[in-house]
Amino acid sequence: DAKTTQPPSMDCAEGRAANLPCNHSTISGNEYVYWYRQIHSQGPQYIIHGLKNNETNEMASLIITEDRKSSTLILPHATLRDTAVYYCIVRVAGSGSARQLTFGSGTQLTVLP
Amino acid sequence: GAVVSQHPSRVICKSGTSVKIECRSLDFQATTMFWYRQFPKKSLMLMATSNEGSKATYEQGVEKDKFLINHASLTLSTLTVTSAHPEDSSFYICSARAGRNYGYTFGSGTRLTVV
């Protein structure tokens, strides 16, 4: 699985959009980009994933650059409850359930009142 | 959606005793479950992959005799920390996947404190 690079921390004002970047310059064509977040002392929570097209769900939007070497997770209207560590993970598409997720150091997002 | 239940959420035990942590997939069957360990302000580190009906696969540096894993059914995996020491104090998290079209679901974690 390709390595990812994320800033260690970011702040965002409550109600504003939070844009979390992720660099995955060594990504290969069959690797998806996954985003998870972990609120303090809880298990990680799935947010969104994508291959090459932009994706949106009820939680967030995922913007993947055309060359797929980087992506941005967007929380459109951040709330205090979005304060968490956000992990960007790259993983081979179509892999069986037997392969684990490998976590990097993530980005600590702090939403400020 | 896929739900993974982990129990207990926190436990305190004395040095030398053993502690069992349970991980259940509530609405799906999981032939494979994963056990992670997380130290304060650190990321999740995979400890082992639990396989239903067969032996677990441990990551390098993880003592299989200390961290016993049993995956006796398609919905339950257990992690037993044997002869616990204070350095085993950590946050333990399990994970499973309902299928290749699903994301990975994580338990809520178990905070183990060995005194």
Side-chain angles (χ1 to χ4, degrees), chain B residues 84-104:
Chain B
H85 289 277
E87 56 264 32
D88 297 325
S89 298
S90 190
F91 192 54
Y92 293 87
I93 308 168
C94 69
S95 171
R97 191 181 188 189
R100 62 171 51 194
N101 293 323
Y102 293 83
Y104 290 78

PDB file of all heavy atoms in Angstrom, chain B residues 84-104:
ATOM      1  N   ALA B  84      -0.375 -10.010  32.720  1.00  0.00           N
ATOM      2  CA  ALA B  84      -0.277  -8.592  32.350  1.00  0.00           C
ATOM      3  C   ALA B  84       0.743  -7.840  33.195  1.00  0.00           C
ATOM      4  O   ALA B  84       0.904  -8.100  34.395  1.00  0.00           O
ATOM      5  CB  ALA B  84      -1.648  -7.946  32.479  1.00  0.00           C
ATOM      6  N   HIS B  85       1.419  -6.912  32.554  1.00  0.00           N
ATOM      7  CA  HIS B  85       2.372  -6.028  33.216  1.00  0.00           C
ATOM      8  C   HIS B  85       1.958  -4.586  32.953  1.00  0.00           C
ATOM      9  O   HIS B  85       1.230  -4.310  31.987  1.00  0.00           O
ATOM     10  CB  HIS B  85       3.773  -6.275  32.686  1.00  0.00           C
ATOM     11  CG  HIS B  85       4.352  -7.575  33.108  1.00  0.00           C
ATOM     12  ND1 HIS B  85       4.964  -7.754  34.335  1.00  0.00           N
ATOM     13  CD2 HIS B  85       4.403  -8.763  32.481  1.00  0.00           C
ATOM     14  CE1 HIS B  85       5.369  -9.004  34.430  1.00  0.00           C
ATOM     15  NE2 HIS B  85       5.046  -9.639  33.330  1.00  0.00           N
ATOM     16  N   PRO B  86       2.428  -3.661  33.771  1.00  0.00           N
ATOM     17  CA  PRO B  86       2.052  -2.259  33.552  1.00  0.00           C
ATOM     18  C   PRO B  86       2.350  -1.754  32.139  1.00  0.00           C
ATOM     19  O   PRO B  86       1.588  -0.934  31.611  1.00  0.00           O
ATOM     20  CB  PRO B  86       2.884  -1.511  34.601  1.00  0.00           C
ATOM     21  CG  PRO B  86       3.015  -2.496  35.716  1.00  0.00           C
ATOM     22  CD  PRO B  86       3.152  -3.838  35.046  1.00  0.00           C
ATOM     23  N   GLU B  87       3.397  -2.258  31.511  1.00  0.00           N
ATOM     24  CA  GLU B  87       3.703  -1.806  30.137  1.00  0.00           C
ATOM     25  C   GLU B  87       2.708  -2.302  29.102  1.00  0.00           C
ATOM     26  O   GLU B  87       2.741  -1.858  27.948  1.00  0.00           O
ATOM     27  CB  GLU B  87       5.125  -2.230  29.739  1.00  0.00           C
ATOM     28  CG  GLU B  87       5.398  -3.711  29.862  1.00  0.00           C
ATOM     29  CD  GLU B  87       6.074  -4.059  31.179  1.00  0.00           C
ATOM     30  OE1 GLU B  87       5.805  -3.383  32.200  1.00  0.00           O
ATOM     31  OE2 GLU B  87       6.868  -5.023  31.185  1.00  0.00           O
ATOM     32  N   ASP B  88       1.826  -3.231  29.517  1.00  0.00           N
ATOM     33  CA  ASP B  88       0.753  -3.676  28.617  1.00  0.00           C
ATOM     34  C   ASP B  88      -0.427  -2.712  28.648  1.00  0.00           C
ATOM     35  O   ASP B  88      -1.367  -2.860  27.849  1.00  0.00           O
ATOM     36  CB  ASP B  88       0.270  -5.074  29.007  1.00  0.00           C
ATOM     37  CG  ASP B  88       1.357  -6.117  28.876  1.00  0.00           C
ATOM     38  OD1 ASP B  88       2.189  -5.992  27.947  1.00  0.00           O
ATOM     39  OD2 ASP B  88       1.391  -7.062  29.697  1.00  0.00           O
ATOM     40  N   SER B  89      -0.389  -1.764  29.548  1.00  0.00           N
ATOM     41  CA  SER B  89      -1.459  -0.766  29.614  1.00  0.00           C
ATOM     42  C   SER B  89      -1.506  -0.015  28.286  1.00  0.00           C
ATOM     43  O   SER B  89      -0.508   0.533  27.820  1.00  0.00           O
ATOM     44  CB  SER B  89      -1.199   0.219  30.756  1.00  0.00           C
ATOM     45  OG  SER B  89      -1.186  -0.445  32.002  1.00  0.00           O
ATOM     46  N   SER B  90      -2.674  -0.013  27.682  1.00  0.00           N
ATOM     47  CA  SER B  90      -2.808   0.582  26.350  1.00  0.00           C
ATOM     48  C   SER B  90      -4.278   0.596  25.951  1.00  0.00           C
ATOM     49  O   SER B  90      -5.151   0.154  26.703  1.00  0.00           O
ATOM     50  CB  SER B  90      -2.000  -0.239  25.335  1.00  0.00           C
ATOM     51  OG  SER B  90      -1.925   0.428  24.090  1.00  0.00           O
ATOM     52  N   PHE B  91      -4.550   1.100  24.758  1.00  0.00           N
ATOM     53  CA  PHE B  91      -5.887   1.102  24.182  1.00  0.00           C
ATOM     54  C   PHE B  91      -5.891   0.031  23.092  1.00  0.00           C
ATOM     55  O   PHE B  91      -5.098   0.101  22.148  1.00  0.00           O
ATOM     56  CB  PHE B  91      -6.180   2.496  23.605  1.00  0.00           C
ATOM     57  CG  PHE B  91      -7.609   2.738  23.231  1.00  0.00           C
ATOM     58  CD1 PHE B  91      -8.628   2.533  24.146  1.00  0.00           C
ATOM     59  CD2 PHE B  91      -7.944   3.210  21.968  1.00  0.00           C
ATOM     60  CE1 PHE B  91      -9.957   2.786  23.811  1.00  0.00           C
ATOM     61  CE2 PHE B  91      -9.265   3.463  21.626  1.00  0.00           C
ATOM     62  CZ  PHE B  91     -10.277   3.248  22.549  1.00  0.00           C
ATOM     63  N   TYR B  92      -6.747  -0.965  23.241  1.00  0.00           N
ATOM     64  CA  TYR B  92      -6.807  -2.074  22.292  1.00  0.00           C
ATOM     65  C   TYR B  92      -8.090  -1.947  21.463  1.00  0.00           C
ATOM     66  O   TYR B  92      -9.175  -1.739  22.010  1.00  0.00           O
ATOM     67  CB  TYR B  92      -6.776  -3.418  23.031  1.00  0.00           C
ATOM     68  CG  TYR B  92      -5.462  -3.674  23.723  1.00  0.00           C
ATOM     69  CD1 TYR B  92      -5.225  -3.206  25.014  1.00  0.00           C
ATOM     70  CD2 TYR B  92      -4.437  -4.361  23.078  1.00  0.00           C
ATOM     71  CE1 TYR B  92      -4.008  -3.421  25.653  1.00  0.00           C
ATOM     72  CE2 TYR B  92      -3.222  -4.588  23.700  1.00  0.00           C
ATOM     73  CZ  TYR B  92      -3.015  -4.113  24.987  1.00  0.00           C
ATOM     74  OH  TYR B  92      -1.807  -4.323  25.602  1.00  0.00           O
ATOM     75  N   ILE B  93      -7.956  -2.098  20.157  1.00  0.00           N
ATOM     76  CA  ILE B  93      -9.087  -1.891  19.250  1.00  0.00           C
ATOM     77  C   ILE B  93      -9.165  -3.052  18.275  1.00  0.00           C
ATOM     78  O   ILE B  93      -8.141  -3.488  17.737  1.00  0.00           O
ATOM     79  CB  ILE B  93      -8.923  -0.581  18.442  1.00  0.00           C
ATOM     80  CG1 ILE B  93      -8.651   0.602  19.379  1.00  0.00           C
ATOM     81  CG2 ILE B  93     -10.153  -0.301  17.596  1.00  0.00           C
ATOM     82  CD1 ILE B  93      -8.187   1.845  18.644  1.00  0.00           C
ATOM     83  N   CYS B  94     -10.375  -3.527  18.018  1.00  0.00           N
ATOM     84  CA  CYS B  94     -10.548  -4.576  17.026  1.00  0.00           C
ATOM     85  C   CYS B  94     -11.270  -4.006  15.809  1.00  0.00           C
ATOM     86  O   CYS B  94     -11.908  -2.944  15.876  1.00  0.00           O
ATOM     87  CB  CYS B  94     -11.315  -5.761  17.600  1.00  0.00           C
ATOM     88  SG  CYS B  94     -13.036  -5.427  17.966  1.00  0.00           S
ATOM     89  N   SER B  95     -11.169  -4.718  14.707  1.00  0.00           N
ATOM     90  CA  SER B  95     -11.764  -4.256  13.460  1.00  0.00           C
ATOM     91  C   SER B  95     -12.153  -5.452  12.606  1.00  0.00           C
ATOM     92  O   SER B  95     -11.545  -6.514  12.703  1.00  0.00           O
ATOM     93  CB  SER B  95     -10.754  -3.383  12.702  1.00  0.00           C
ATOM     94  OG  SER B  95     -11.218  -3.076  11.406  1.00  0.00           O
ATOM     95  N   ALA B  96     -13.169  -5.259  11.775  1.00  0.00           N
ATOM     96  CA  ALA B  96     -13.575  -6.301  10.836  1.00  0.00           C
ATOM     97  C   ALA B  96     -14.210  -5.638   9.625  1.00  0.00           C
ATOM     98  O   ALA B  96     -14.550  -4.456   9.644  1.00  0.00           O
ATOM     99  CB  ALA B  96     -14.558  -7.266  11.503  1.00  0.00           C
ATOM    100  N   ARG B  97     -14.374  -6.452   8.596  1.00  0.00           N
ATOM    101  CA  ARG B  97     -14.954  -5.940   7.368  1.00  0.00           C
ATOM    102  C   ARG B  97     -16.043  -6.892   6.913  1.00  0.00           C
ATOM    103  O   ARG B  97     -15.827  -8.093   6.875  1.00  0.00           O
ATOM    104  CB  ARG B  97     -13.871  -5.849   6.304  1.00  0.00           C
ATOM    105  CG  ARG B  97     -14.236  -5.096   5.043  1.00  0.00           C
ATOM    106  CD  ARG B  97     -13.070  -5.118   4.071  1.00  0.00           C
ATOM    107  NE  ARG B  97     -13.286  -4.256   2.928  1.00  0.00           N
ATOM    108  CZ  ARG B  97     -12.503  -4.232   1.863  1.00  0.00           C
ATOM    109  NH1 ARG B  97     -11.443  -5.018   1.809  1.00  0.00           N
ATOM    110  NH2 ARG B  97     -12.748  -3.411   0.875  1.00  0.00           N
ATOM    111  N   ALA B  98     -17.214  -6.348   6.575  1.00  0.00           N
ATOM    112  CA  ALA B  98     -18.344  -7.194   6.205  1.00  0.00           C
ATOM    113  C   ALA B  98     -18.131  -7.843   4.847  1.00  0.00           C
ATOM    114  O   ALA B  98     -18.718  -8.868   4.548  1.00  0.00           O
ATOM    115  CB  ALA B  98     -19.631  -6.380   6.220  1.00  0.00           C
ATOM    116  N   GLY B  99     -17.310  -7.268   4.035  1.00  0.00           N
ATOM    117  CA  GLY B  99     -17.066  -7.806   2.705  1.00  0.00           C
ATOM    118  C   GLY B  99     -16.288  -6.796   1.904  1.00  0.00           C
ATOM    119  O   GLY B  99     -16.079  -5.657   2.329  1.00  0.00           O
ATOM    120  N   ARG B 100     -15.844  -7.160   0.717  1.00  0.00           N
ATOM    121  CA  ARG B 100     -14.958  -6.296  -0.027  1.00  0.00           C
ATOM    122  C   ARG B 100     -15.644  -5.012  -0.504  1.00  0.00           C
ATOM    123  O   ARG B 100     -14.986  -4.057  -0.890  1.00  0.00           O
ATOM    124  CB  ARG B 100     -14.343  -7.022  -1.213  1.00  0.00           C
ATOM    125  CG  ARG B 100     -15.323  -7.510  -2.261  1.00  0.00           C
ATOM    126  CD  ARG B 100     -14.594  -8.026  -3.483  1.00  0.00           C
ATOM    127  NE  ARG B 100     -13.564  -8.976  -3.134  1.00  0.00           N
ATOM    128  CZ  ARG B 100     -12.613  -9.360  -3.986  1.00  0.00           C
ATOM    129  NH1 ARG B 100     -12.571  -8.872  -5.206  1.00  0.00           N
ATOM    130  NH2 ARG B 100     -11.689 -10.233  -3.617  1.00  0.00           N
ATOM    131  N   ASN B 101     -16.950  -4.963  -0.473  1.00  0.00           N
ATOM    132  CA  ASN B 101     -17.651  -3.746  -0.865  1.00  0.00           C
ATOM    133  C   ASN B 101     -17.988  -2.856   0.327  1.00  0.00           C
ATOM    134  O   ASN B 101     -18.693  -1.871   0.185  1.00  0.00           O
ATOM    135  CB  ASN B 101     -18.932  -4.097  -1.620  1.00  0.00           C
ATOM    136  CG  ASN B 101     -18.642  -4.755  -2.954  1.00  0.00           C
ATOM    137  OD1 ASN B 101     -17.678  -4.392  -3.627  1.00  0.00           O
ATOM    138  ND2 ASN B 101     -19.450  -5.730  -3.317  1.00  0.00           N
ATOM    139  N   TYR B 102     -17.470  -3.223   1.494  1.00  0.00           N
ATOM    140  CA  TYR B 102     -17.736  -2.468   2.701  1.00  0.00           C
ATOM    141  C   TYR B 102     -16.438  -1.895   3.251  1.00  0.00           C
ATOM    142  O   TYR B 102     -15.357  -2.420   3.016  1.00  0.00           O
ATOM    143  CB  TYR B 102     -18.388  -3.358   3.757  1.00  0.00           C
ATOM    144  CG  TYR B 102     -19.769  -3.828   3.399  1.00  0.00           C
ATOM    145  CD1 TYR B 102     -19.952  -4.936   2.593  1.00  0.00           C
ATOM    146  CD2 TYR B 102     -20.895  -3.158   3.864  1.00  0.00           C
ATOM    147  CE1 TYR B 102     -21.217  -5.369   2.253  1.00  0.00           C
ATOM    148  CE2 TYR B 102     -22.164  -3.588   3.536  1.00  0.00           C
ATOM    149  CZ  TYR B 102     -22.323  -4.691   2.730  1.00  0.00           C
ATOM    150  OH  TYR B 102     -23.579  -5.112   2.405  1.00  0.00           O
ATOM    151  N   GLY B 103     -16.586  -0.798   3.990  1.00  0.00           N
ATOM    152  CA  GLY B 103     -15.430  -0.251   4.684  1.00  0.00           C
ATOM    153  C   GLY B 103     -15.111  -1.079   5.909  1.00  0.00           C
ATOM    154  O   GLY B 103     -15.840  -1.995   6.272  1.00  0.00           O
ATOM    155  N   TYR B 104     -14.017  -0.769   6.551  1.00  0.00           N
ATOM    156  CA  TYR B 104     -13.627  -1.444   7.772  1.00  0.00           C
ATOM    157  C   TYR B 104     -14.380  -0.822   8.950  1.00  0.00           C
ATOM    158  O   TYR B 104     -14.433   0.399   9.078  1.00  0.00           O
ATOM    159  CB  TYR B 104     -12.122  -1.314   7.995  1.00  0.00           C
ATOM    160  CG  TYR B 104     -11.315  -2.110   7.007  1.00  0.00           C
ATOM    161  CD1 TYR B 104     -11.114  -1.645   5.723  1.00  0.00           C
ATOM    162  CD2 TYR B 104     -10.773  -3.344   7.360  1.00  0.00           C
ATOM    163  CE1 TYR B 104     -10.390  -2.379   4.806  1.00  0.00           C
ATOM    164  CE2 TYR B 104     -10.046  -4.087   6.446  1.00  0.00           C
ATOM    165  CZ  TYR B 104      -9.864  -3.604   5.169  1.00  0.00           C
ATOM    166  OH  TYR B 104      -9.156  -4.330   4.266  1.00  0.00           O
TER     167      TYR B 104
END
